[in-house]
Amino acid sequence: MDQRKEKMHIGAFFKNTGHHIAAWRSPDSQPDAGINLKHYVACAQTAERAGFDFLFYADSAATREAHIDSLHRSSQYTAYFEPTTLLASLATATERIGLVATQTTSYNEPYNIARRFASLDHLSAGRAGWNVVTSGNDAEALNFGRDEHYEHDERYLRAQEFVEVVKGLWDSWDDDAFLYDRAGGRFFDPQKMHRLNHVGKYFKVRGPLNVPRPPQGHPVIFQAGISEAGRELAAATAEGVFSGELTIERSQAHYSDIKKRMAKYDRAPDELRILPGLTIFCGKTAAEARDRERELAELIHPVVGREYVGTLLGLDLSDCDVDDKLPDRESKTRSKAGIANSVKAMAERENLTIRGIYMKLAGSHGKLTLRGTPVEIADTMAQWFHAHACDGFIMQPSTMPGNLDEIAETLVPELQNRGLIRVGYEGATLRDHMELKRPRSRWA
Ligand SMILES: Cc1cc2nc3c(=O)[nH]c(=O)nc-3n(C[C@H](O)[C@H](O)[C@H](O)COP(=O)(O)O)c2cc1C
C-alpha cells in the first residue's frame, strides 16, 4: 500500500495510577493518583513536553460493578476526579496540549455538556475535546434514578440527537457576536444570537447557550463505539475515534469500514482520525521488556484477574478456577460482544487459561500491546500507520507516571527521528494539532 506523507497523531490516555490493573501496587505509580492534582499536573506537563496532540481522561459515573472481594483490591473507578473539573485545572498548568474528557449522553442533558465543554474550550484557549459515550458501565443507571441501563440501540439514538443538540448550542452565538462596546452601550449584537428551538424525540431545548461560541467553533468530538450503532455515530459525528482492535488486519477492516460510512453523512475520510489504544512494555532488549511486563502481571491478585476477564467479556466467571480455560458462555452484555469475540479468538489461538488471559491483557484492558525496544515498537506503529490500520495511536501507559515518562523519553524521540510525528507543536488549538478544520456555524 502507498506510504502516506502526513504524520501520525498520538494522544496520551491518562488513568490515575496507570492502565495496568495492578498499577497501583507498582513502585512506578502514585497510589493516590486519582485525587492528586500535583500528579496530574506533572503527567500533563510530561505529555506536553513530548508534544502529544492531547491527553484523554475517561469516565464512568459509578464505581465499577464488581464484588467487594475484587473491588477493594483495585484502584479502578473507585477514587478519582470528575473529568471536566480536572481538565479545567490542567488547562491552567499547560499551554498547548489538547484536553479531552469523556462525558456520557445517557446520564447528562445536552445543555449541561454544551456549556461545560464550551467553557473548557474558552478556559484552555481552544484545546478541549469531548469523548461521547453512552456508558459502558451498567452501574451508572443505579445512580440516576433507574433500575437498569438503557437498551443499547436506544442509548445510541439518544446519543445521536444529544450530539446534534450540543453542536447546535455551540452555534448559539456567531464568532463575533460579543461587542463589549462600552461607549455605544451594546454588549452583544442581537442579530448574532440564535435560539436553537430544538424539539426532538428525547430533548426539548430552546437555547441560546450562555457561553460564547467556543474558540474552536466546536470542541473536537471523539467516539469509541464498536457496535453497528457506535460506528454509525462515529461516522456521522466523530473527529477522533478510539478503537480497540488487536491485529493489523482487524484494524484495517475497522478503519476502512468507519471511513467508508462517512460518505453517507457528506463527510470526507480525512475529517476523522482513528486511534487504536496502545500499551507498550519496552526495555533496552526484548527480554528486558518481557521481564518488566511479567513483574507487573505478577502483582495481579487472582480474584481481581478473574473478575477483570469476566467484566471485559460480560461473563460471570466467579465459579471458575483461574487455571481453567474460558467456559463456553454467551456475553450478558451486548456492548461487550465485539471485544468478547476478539478475546475469545485470541485465547483459542494461543491456548490460554483465564490466568493466561489476564496475565496477557490486563496491562492494556484488552487493547493492543507491543513489547520490545523503542525501535521495534516504532517499527510496528509505522507498519500499522502505513497500512491504513490507523491514523495514529492513543497511548495507554501501564503505570503513571513511570511508563508515561518512559514513552516520552524513549519512544517519542524514536518516532520523531523517523519523521512519523511532529517535534513540538505547530499550532495553538487541538484542531491544529489533529489537523482538523474549524467547523462553520450552522447560521453562517
Ligand atoms: C480507548 C477507549 C476509551 C473508552 N472510554 C470510555 C469511557 O471513558 N467511558 C465509557 O463509558 N466508555 C468508554 N469506552 C467504551 C466505548 O464508548 C464503547 O461503549 C465500547 O467500545 C463498546 O462499543 P458500543 O458502545 O458500540 O457497543 C471506551 C472505549 C475505548 C476503546
Side-chain angles (χ1 to χ4, degrees), residues 122 175-189 211-213:
H122 281 286
D175 288 313
D176 55 355
F178 287 85
L179 305 170
Y180 308 117
D181 174 7
R182 281 177 172 152
R186 294 193 314 152
F187 193 69
F188 67 84
D189 179 345
V211 184
R213 193 156 192 263

Side-chain angles (χ1 to χ4, degrees), residues 68-85:
I68 195 72
D69 277 355
S70 166
L71 192 63
H72 88 284
R73 296 179 188 282
S74 157
S75 72
Q76 315 226 317
Y77 294 133
T78 49
Y80 73 120
F81 291 124
E82 185 286 319
T84 51
T85 335

Side-chain angles (χ1 to χ4, degrees), residues 45-90:
Q45 291 175 345
T46 299
E48 184 167 66
R49 269 194 307 276
F52 278 91
D53 284 9
F54 60 87
L55 65 88
F56 162 56
Y57 193 74
D59 193 39
S60 175
T63 55
R64 243 169 6 101
E65 195 62 348
H67 193 279
I68 195 72
D69 277 355
S70 166
L71 192 63
H72 88 284
R73 296 179 188 282
S74 157
S75 72
Q76 315 226 317
Y77 294 133
T78 49
Y80 73 120
F81 291 124
E82 185 286 319
T84 51
T85 335
L86 172 64
L87 295 197
S89 189
L90 295 183

Side-chain angles (χ1 to χ4, degrees), residues 132-175:
V132 179
V133 306
T134 64
S135 285
N137 181 352
D138 292 351
E140 291 183 38
L142 307 181
N143 295 334
F144 294 88
R146 292 179 62 88
D147 293 328
E148 53 184 34
H149 197 11
Y150 294 98
E151 192 269 320
H152 188 273
D153 283 350
E154 181 169 18
R155 258 152 67 185
Y156 274 97
L157 286 174
R158 183 182 154 100
Q160 209 156 20
E161 188 180 331
F162 195 115
V163 175
E164 278 315 305
V165 175
V166 169
K167 285 185 176 173
L169 286 169
W170 284 334
D171 289 342
S172 293
W173 304 92
D174 291 353
D175 288 313

Side-chain angles (χ1 to χ4, degrees), residues 13 56-60 77 102-104 131-137 140 152 155-156 223-231 242-244 275-277 334-336 367 394 396:
F13 187 164
F56 162 56
Y57 193 74
D59 193 39
S60 175
Y77 294 133
T102 292
Q103 294 284 287
T104 179
N131 180 35
V132 179
V133 306
T134 64
S135 285
N137 181 352
E140 291 183 38
H152 188 273
R155 258 152 67 185
Y156 274 97
Q223 230 278 307
I226 298 169
S227 62
E228 184 64 25
R231 288 174 185 222
F242 301 136
S243 65
L275 311 174
R334 222 176 112 198
S335 66
K336 308 279 165 104
K367 314 276 166 30
I394 169 98
Q396 305 189 155

